[in-house]
Structure formats: C-alpha cells, structure tokens
Amino acid sequence: MIPKIILGKGPQATRRTIGYLFGKGRANEHVDPHLVASWNGFAPDPGRSPHRDPKEVEAQLAAQLDQPVKVLGDKAPKYTVWHCPVRAAPEDPILTDDQWASIARRIVAAAGIAPKGDEEACRWVAVRHADDHIHIAATLVRQDGRRPQRDYDQRAVQREARRIEVDYGLRRLKPGDGTAAKRPTSKEHFKAKRLGQDATSREVLRLRVRRAMAAASTEAEFFTLLEATGVNVRLKLGPSGDALGCNFALPGDTNDKNEPVFYAGSTLAADLSLPQIRRRLATTSPEPVAARPGNPWHQATAATERIPHHLAHSNDEAAQGQLAALGGALDLLPLTAPTTVRAELERAAVAFERATRSRIAADHTSARVLRRSVQAIWKDPVGHEDGAGAAMLLDVALTAVAYAMHWHRIRQHAQQQAAAEQTLIRLQAAYAQVAEPVLAGLASRTPSPQTKRRYAQHLRQAVPQHAERVLADPAWDALAAVLAEAEAAGHSANTILDRALSRRTLDDAHSPARALTWRIRRLGDRHAPGPRAQAANTRHTTMPAPALHQQEPRTRPR
C-alpha cells in the first residue's frame, strides 16, 4: 500500500482539490467518485446527491473544509491543503467502502491530521473513485485554530501503511529509510501517457543526470555531457555568483504557460544535488586510468571483482562508495554493450539505482579505479565488439550485486536489498545473451583431444572436488580453448589454471567451466611471462595446488 503526501497552497486550493477528486480525472479515470469517510461522518457528498447540482455540493463541501482556515484570515498558513492518495497493489483484494474508511481514519491519525478522539482536529474527507485507491483531503488548520502536529508525517504514514498491509492481508512493501528517489506524480504519469512516452520526464532526467555524473571527470564535463543529451541546465547562483544548485529540464517538456518544466537535482534523487555531484566528481580526476596503458575492460573487471572484498571487510562508508561506483558502471554499461542486451542492462541499472543509496555516507575514494576504467570504456569501447569484455565484466558484476544484496540484508536495508535482487535477475538475463555467442566462438577453437586430456589431468589433481563438474560442463570446450590460447602466448597452462582456481571458490558456481573461462581469459590476455618466469612456472606445476580461498556468501549462480 502506497500513501503519498501532497501539499496545496493558494486561496482556491481546497476548491481545486475537491473539484479534481469529484471530476472525471485527467484521463476520465474517475468512476463513481464518492465519500467513504469524513471528519464528522455526515459531510455533503457530491457523488451521492442525485437531486442537487454536483458543483454546488462540491462548493459546499469545500467551504465546510475551509471554515477553520477562513477564520484565521491573513494568519492562515502558506500551505492549507493536505492531500494523500492511498493505493493498494494490483494483486490485492478489492476492499469495501467501510474498509477504506477505516484505513483513512488510521492514516489521518498517524499523520497528526486527526488523532483518534480529538474532536478539535483538522477537517478531512476520504474520496473513492476506483477499486484500488482513495484520496484523503484535509485542511491544515485545526477546528480550534491551531496547526496540526504532523512532524515527519510521511514517515509516520508509511509506518502505518505497513501495519495496514498486515492487518488486511495486502501485499507487504519493504520499509524505506527516506533515501529513495521521489516517485513521479500522477500528473506526470498522465502527461507521459498523453504524449506517448514510456517514462516520465523525471525518470528520463534522473537517468541522464546519473549517466553524465558517471561519465564525467570534472564539473565542466558533466554539464557539457548533459547538454549533449539535450538536457537544459539552469544554475542557482548565490550572491557571490557561485553556483549553489542546478535544475534540469527536457526540451519540449513545458507547462500550461509554455515554460520549461525544471526539476532540482535533489528532487530527482538525494545524491543528485549539485553539492553531492561535486563530491563524487572530486574523487575522479581527469587523469588516465592507470600509469601504464592497459585494457580498460580488464581494469574495470578487476576493480569490480574487488567489490565483494570491500563489502565484506571495509568500513560501511567505503562499502557504500563501492556500491555507488558499481551503480555508475551499470548506468554506462548499456551504452557500450552489444545492442541486443542494452534494454535489459538499462533495466538492471534502473533497478540497482535504489541499491546505491542508504543513510550511510559514501566514501568514494576507494572506488576511483572502477569509475576511471568505466569512463575509459565509455569513451573508447573499440576492441571488444564480440562481447567478450562485457561478458567478463558482467560475470564479476553478478557476484558484486549478490554481495550487495547480502550487505544490505544484514543492515536491514529492505528496499535496497529488494533492488539488488531485481538487478540480479536482470543481469543474469543479459549475461546469458552476451556470454553464449562468445563461448560458442571459443568452443569452435577448442584444442586437440590430447591437449584437452592434459588439461583435464591437471584439473583432477588441482581440484578433485570440482573436476568432474567442470569436465561435464557445456563450457568445457571454451575453457580448453582459452587455456590453449594462454599457453600459446607463453603462459604455463597449469599455472594459469591454478591462479584462476585460487581467485574464488567454485562451490556456488552454476557453470564452473564458464567462471574459469573468464578468469583465464583475463589472465591470459596479459603479457606472457619471460623465460625465467616460465621455468619457475614449470617447477611450480610439480608442487601441490594451494588451498582454495573461501568467501561468503554463496548466493549467485555463474
């Protein structure tokens, strides 16, 4: 059950609200609007007055609601209307009018609008015009002339909604912590639908601003990237002329006065205010990814592969910074991945966005390498058109998201945990689409049966507990191919296989051969060792294999 609070101001705020609630709606969606409850139990009902002009009854109802406000005259508060739509989930049972009336009373009591037993509380009504929701409208002056005590009413109403879900057997939503991005309003949804758009302007802007923040190294570059995507930027300047905030608008998105509709960064998401954007950019200088040249796909993969260690062993601030960087990587990945999976990856990025924020302040410093390498991929993705780079990065991203889910769970971040779970599903679907053709191409280059038997023999010696699973895996031919390629590049096949096996346990791998294939592909693409190192590698293969490093949690298939 989702309640949402909207405040109204102006001399006609109450009349406008009542007119909307008993009107046809912006898309003729209001069917049979009528009162289910009110502050006194006998307020005039425009929807149940067949012998009177509905507009006349609406005016009478608005006047009664407004009476305490009018008494105050010029001393009335700026905001005079409290409007709270309360919506059930599509799969919930249809509630009766009496049940909705009871829910409305609980909501206004929790919000401080009309505490139970308080006869001098604010005046309010609950209007139903659809099976799945009601609208509660109240005026923000009590009948004794005082203001209602509604501190933190949004949180209080959300807590009460969680209790209502239990009491009525409704779908139970995850409790939040106040860090979720603001949802689009009904008006924004109707506007998008009317214009034939799949997403609201707020949602489009949020994604574009996040992508610009992930791609930019400086504040100037951030604004340049935004303008390149068509976003209009308006800075809020202080007395000194310095920018204190920024607002964003999409071209063509105008109000009824044909003026651009601007959204403040902080209203798109808490981490998209100008101070927060500057804080993030300050940890990503425009220097090269590394002092020595390297493959940015490998560097991004290596940095992502370290995220589980940070989540398990670093402090909460550093871990939160890693999650924010992973979110930025997922924001940019759809722009560089194969076209067949871009839509699925974009859905994964949108889902994970919720998992990148919590009440914990993020330390972004430790994630600098990941951000720089992903920026390098975005600027020059050439070299991995076959999808191998994306497949390797997605392989480790799946593990990182699984650890993120566990990290949020033990900290009771329910909404963030649910977001990570949804992201995992999306990424697994994208990974399958990216990886299968790459693995098929590798399998077509599998070495001779004699060479494969040699690899299999070492595998049985190194990891006897996993060897038969690896050899029976459909990706075994691809694994043998990358081992042969690494060997041709000067590596010892046994040594590089041992190194890949020591990276992480195979206990939770859905496809152990596939997991090893990507590890060896990354290791094998590095420069081959020199003659002395090769000799040392040969001696090393005669020694017992090292014990495998165990990590927790074991939560994600590969």
Side-chain angles (χ1 to χ4, degrees), residues 373-443:
S373 55
V374 171
Q375 288 171 358
I377 292 171
W378 172 73
K379 291 175 181 177
D380 186 18
V382 177
H384 281 273
E385 295 86 348
D386 62 350
M392 285 189 288
L393 182 54
L394 284 174
D395 177 64
V396 295
L398 283 166
T399 302
V401 172
Y403 270 75
M405 185 172 64
H406 175 74
W407 188 83
H408 283 305
R409 181 170 58 245
I410 62 178
R411 286 159 182 79
Q412 299 182 346
H413 299 165
Q415 290 186 358
Q416 291 89 335
Q417 177 192 340
E421 290 172 353
Q422 186 63 34
T423 305
L424 203 57
I425 295 171
R426 298 293 189 188
L427 285 183
Q428 285 169 340
Y431 174 69
Q433 294 182 59
V434 173
E436 291 307 325
V438 179
L439 292 170
L442 290 172

Side-chain angles (χ1 to χ4, degrees), residues 215-331:
S217 299
T218 65
E219 186 174 330
E221 186 181 11
F222 167 73
F223 289 123
T224 299
L225 290 172
L226 276 179
E227 292 171 358
T229 62
V231 175
N232 297 321
V233 179
R234 185 175 66 189
L235 296 178
K236 180 182 178 181
L237 303 178
S240 64
D242 295 331
L244 303 179
C246 53
N247 299 302
F248 310 100
L250 290 177
D253 183 23
T254 58
N255 57 21
D256 53 5
K257 297 180 181 179
N258 204 33
E259 299 169 335
V261 179
F262 280 93
Y263 295 83
S266 58
T267 65
L268 296 178
D271 56 347
L272 297 182
S273 66
L274 185 57
Q276 290 293 336
I277 291 170
R278 284 171 169 165
R279 186 164 169 260
R280 184 84 61 92
L281 293 174
T283 61
T284 309
S285 66
E287 298 172 356
V289 173
R292 63 178 187 275
N295 186 315
W297 286 99
H298 291 175
Q299 292 165 343
T301 300
T304 305
E305 195 172 35
R306 289 191 289 271
I307 290 177
H309 176 82
H310 285 287
L311 295 179
H313 302 291
S314 297
N315 60 42
D316 281 359
E317 291 75 14
Q320 184 65 58
Q322 293 288 324
L323 295 180
L326 178 59
L330 294 179
D331 285 333

